[in-house]
Amino acid sequence: IADKRKLGLRVFYQWRDPRRVDRVEILFANYEFEEVALAIQRKYFGLPPGWAEQLDYMLLTGNRNLGWFARLKQGVLPAPVEQEASAIGGHQNQAETTIDKVINEIADTEITFNQ
């Protein structure tokens, strides 16, 4: 299953963000599938091929880390990381996960390097 997930993310990145294809192994070596899936959904507003079916099965079998996916199935998108703000004073919400930070840092580093 892990190889199928990695392949799905590679295909997704080739379509959406080709410069990140080589980051797939790093993400899966350091983070759980559910964390990677949430970060990808939040950043790109979509999931790699086959991931929704896998997440759906995991949700049906009682995975408790997929509340975001249950809400997504009801049409409620997870807020994008850069748009989240708390109700008090508009400060950034602490809901940004470590994987979100890693994906954003990789993008920022590559953008800076290529300028």
Side-chain angles (χ1 to χ4, degrees):
I1 288 180
D3 288 340
K4 187 175 181 180
R5 291 172 178 167
K6 290 176 188 178
L7 177 61
L9 185 54
R10 282 189 192 94
V11 168
F12 182 83
Y13 273 154
Q14 286 171 350
W15 173 59
R16 295 293 305 265
D17 199 351
R19 63 198 165 122
R20 294 191 181 189
V21 171
D22 62 339
R23 304 292 188 200
V24 171
E25 292 296 327
I26 295 168
L27 292 175
F28 278 97
N30 293 297
Y31 302 98
E32 295 295 321
F33 172 64
E34 299 92 321
E35 292 177 293
V36 176
L38 174 58
I40 296 298
Q41 174 63 44
R42 291 169 92 180
K43 185 151 189 81
Y44 298 102
F45 300 100
L47 293 168
W51 281 27
E53 293 81 7
Q54 293 176 35
L55 291 165
D56 199 33
Y57 177 78
M58 294 169 71
L59 184 64
L60 291 172
T61 57
N63 186 309
R64 295 181 184 181
N65 296 322
L66 292 174
W68 67 269
F69 186 68
R71 290 185 297 278
L72 180 66
K73 289 177 58 171
Q74 296 171 349
V76 180
L77 293 173
V81 174
E82 56 274 359
Q83 293 181 7
E84 286 186 354
S86 66
I88 302 172
H91 295 84
Q92 284 295 65
N93 189 333
Q94 295 301 316
E96 182 178 36
T97 65
T98 303
I99 188 74
D100 294 323
K101 292 176 186 176
V102 169
I103 288 175
N104 288 332
E105 185 172 327
I106 289 169
D108 292 344
T109 301
E110 290 177 2
I111 289 169
T112 301
F113 178 77
N114 291 319
Q115 288 181 344

